[in-house]
Amino acid sequence: MLPIGLARSFRSARRDLVHVALLFLFVAMPLPGRGELVTQEQPRPASSNGLQQEPYPAAGGPQSDVGHYAIPRKKDEPTTPAPLERPKKLEGLPYYSIRVDVPLVEVPVTVTTKDGQFISTLQKENFRVYEDGVPQTISNFTVSQAPITAVLLVEFASTNYGFVQDALSASYSFANTLRKDDWVAVVSYDIKPQTLVDFTQQKEAIYRGLNQLRIPGFAETNLFDALYDTLDRIDQIEGHKYVVLVSTGFDSFSKINLDKITRKIKSTHDVTIFPISVGWIARERYETAGRTAPHGLGIPISRLDYLQADNQMQTFARLTGGRFYQPRFEAEYPEVFHDIIGEIRNQYELSFHSTNPQLDGSYRKLRVDVVAPDGGPLRVRDQKGREVKYQIIAREGYTAKHTVE
C-alpha cells in the first residue's frame, strides 16, 4: 500500500494529464462548415492601415441595418429610359378642360317706313350683320312682342315754366301707353336724381309718382350725372332695357363730362335710349323776340347751348339704336309715345357670336343691312303697290366684355 502523500501526488498528475489530452483533442478537431466558408470567401481588400474591411455589396443599398451603400451597376442598366405612361384617371376625380366662351351679342333692329310704320314681314334671311366690317352669322332671330322694361327719366327743375309744363305733359302721355305687364320706374332729376317710383307694373303707382312733381327745387339740370346713375343701376337687370329721357338736353353742372357719359353709354349692354326734347315753343318764342329762353336764375345760356343739347341727345339715341323726338306742340306727345311704344314692342331681335373672340373691352362698330332673299336690294311696297322708302334703326356698336368682368 502506497503512502498517503505519494497517492495524492499521483492522482493530481493523472487529472492534469487528462485535461491536457482533452484540450489537444478539442483544438485538433475541425469545426462544422468552417472548411467550406474559407474556400468560398473572396479575398478582402486591405485598407491603408492593413486592416481587413467588409466588401461592398454588389447593388441595392445596405444589406443590413448598418453598412455601406452600394453604387448601382450602370453597365447593366438600359441606355434609353422607359416610355412614360399616361396618367390613369383616379376614381372620384373628374377630368377638367379649358373652354373660351364668346359672349352672345344681341342687336335689336327696327325697320319702318318713312312714315313710322313697322315692317313686320321680314325674315332672318333678309338681314345682314357686320362687326367692324366683318360679316357675322345670325344665330337667333325673333320678332319681339314682349313686355317692356323702361325707366322714365324726367328733367324737373326750377328753370322755365314752359319746360316744366312740357316735361309733365310728356311724362303723363308716356304713362298712358303702358300695359299691365310692363315694368317701369320713374326718376326725376335737377341737381341730383331722385327715384319717385321703383320698378312696378301698376300704372296707378306711376301716376302717383308723377303727381309728386309739383314745385321744382334747384335750377341746376345735371343730365349727365342723372343718366350715368340710371345706366349704372339698370346695367345689372337681365334682358333689354329702355330709357325714355324727357329733357331739354342741357347739362348745367354735372360732375362728369360729355366724353365720360358717352363712354358709359357705349359700355352699357342691352339699353336703348329714346330722348324727347321739351320746351321747343318757349325757345322759339324767345328767339323770335331776339332773346334766349332762360334756364333758371343765374345760369347763362345761349341759343348755341340749346342746339348743342339737341345734338347730344341725338347722339345718345344713335349710339343705342333709339330715336330722337322734338315735338313742337303738346298735342304731339301722344303720337310720339305711340311711335316709341310701337317701336319697342315691334322689334327684330338679332343675336350672333362674334368672330372676334378677344375679350379686350374694345368698342366694335355694327352695321345692319336689309336685303332681298336672293341677296339683292330689298324693295318694299305699300297696299297700292307703290314702292316706299324704309329706314333701319339699330345701335351703332357695342363694347366687348373684358376678361376681368
Side-chain angles (χ1 to χ4, degrees), residues 89-227:
K89 180 180 178 181
L90 300 178
E91 294 184 0
L93 293 179
Y95 282 130
Y96 292 94
S97 60
I98 299 177
R99 183 182 64 184
V100 178
D101 291 329
V102 180
L104 189 68
V105 181
E106 297 182 353
V107 185
V109 180
T110 302
V111 183
T112 65
T113 64
K114 290 298 182 178
D115 297 332
Q117 295 181 350
F118 178 69
I119 302 175
S120 60
T121 58
L122 300 180
Q123 303 297 323
K124 177 180 178 181
E125 295 75 16
N126 295 119
F127 289 91
R128 300 288 186 271
V129 179
Y130 301 88
E131 178 184 295
D132 291 334
V134 180
Q136 306 294 317
T137 302
I138 300 175
S139 56
N140 296 328
F141 173 84
T142 57
V143 180
S144 174
Q145 294 288 342
I148 66 173
T149 301
V151 175
L152 176 61
L153 183 60
V154 186
E155 175 189 306
F156 187 74
S158 182
T159 54
N160 185 291
Y161 176 80
F163 297 167
V164 174
Q165 185 65 29
D166 284 355
L168 290 176
S169 299
S171 299
Y172 281 104
S173 297
F174 171 74
N176 293 335
T177 62
L178 299 178
R179 298 178 181 175
K180 62 180 181 180
D181 50 357
D182 295 330
W183 289 94
V184 176
V186 181
V187 178
S188 66
Y189 75 92
D190 45 22
I191 196 171
K192 64 179 181 179
Q194 178 183 2
T195 302
L196 302 177
V197 182
D198 205 345
F199 281 100
T200 181
Q201 291 181 306
Q202 298 179 2
K203 187 180 293 187
E204 294 77 9
I206 297 174
Y207 287 138
R208 287 196 301 268
L210 293 176
N211 289 338
Q212 300 178 35
L213 302 178
R214 292 302 180 188
I215 302 177
F218 296 94
E220 303 289 350
T221 53
N222 296 344
L223 168 62
F224 298 161
D225 289 346
L227 183 57

Side-chain angles (χ1 to χ4, degrees), residues 224-380:
F224 298 161
D225 289 346
L227 183 57
Y228 192 101
D229 180 76
T230 301
L231 295 176
D232 205 38
R233 291 175 180 270
I234 65 176
D235 192 25
Q236 304 300 323
I237 301 177
E238 296 183 358
H240 203 88
K241 290 84 60 177
Y242 302 89
V243 176
V244 179
L245 176 60
V246 179
S247 171
T248 61
F250 177 74
D251 185 279
S252 60
F253 201 64
S254 284
K255 298 178 182 178
I256 62 176
N257 54 23
L258 177 62
D259 181 67
K260 189 171 183 180
I261 187 61
T262 301
R263 284 189 276 113
K264 179 64 175 178
I265 292 173
K266 289 181 177 180
S267 63
T268 305
H269 301 278
D270 302 330
V271 173
T272 302
I273 302 176
F274 287 92
I276 295 92
S277 176
V278 296
W280 186 88
I281 286 291
R283 286 166 51 178
E284 288 294 319
R285 185 170 62 250
Y286 277 93
E287 288 180 7
T288 302
R291 296 183 297 167
T292 302
H295 198 88
L297 296 177
I299 301 179
I301 192 170
S302 65
R303 182 174 182 271
L304 184 61
D305 293 325
Y306 283 120
L307 295 178
Q308 182 179 355
D310 295 340
N311 184 66
Q312 290 171 176
M313 292 201 292
Q314 291 177 16
T315 302
F316 298 161
R318 187 177 65 253
L319 289 175
T320 59
R323 296 180 66 179
F324 170 73
Y325 293 88
Q326 194 172 34
R328 298 185 178 186
F329 307 103
E330 183 177 346
E332 296 181 28
Y333 289 128
E335 183 181 354
V336 167
F337 287 104
H338 180 270
D339 291 343
I340 293 176
I341 295 299
E343 290 189 20
I344 293 177
R345 299 191 192 280
N346 299 281
Q347 284 188 329
Y348 295 101
E349 297 286 345
L350 312 181
S351 58
F352 65 93
H353 291 280
S354 174
T355 56
N356 182 2
Q358 300 297 326
L359 302 180
D360 52 5
S362 62
Y363 185 74
R364 303 172 185 179
K365 292 185 177 181
L366 295 176
R367 189 180 89 243
V368 179
D369 293 340
V370 177
V371 298
D374 58 356
L378 178 67
R379 300 185 182 277
V380 179

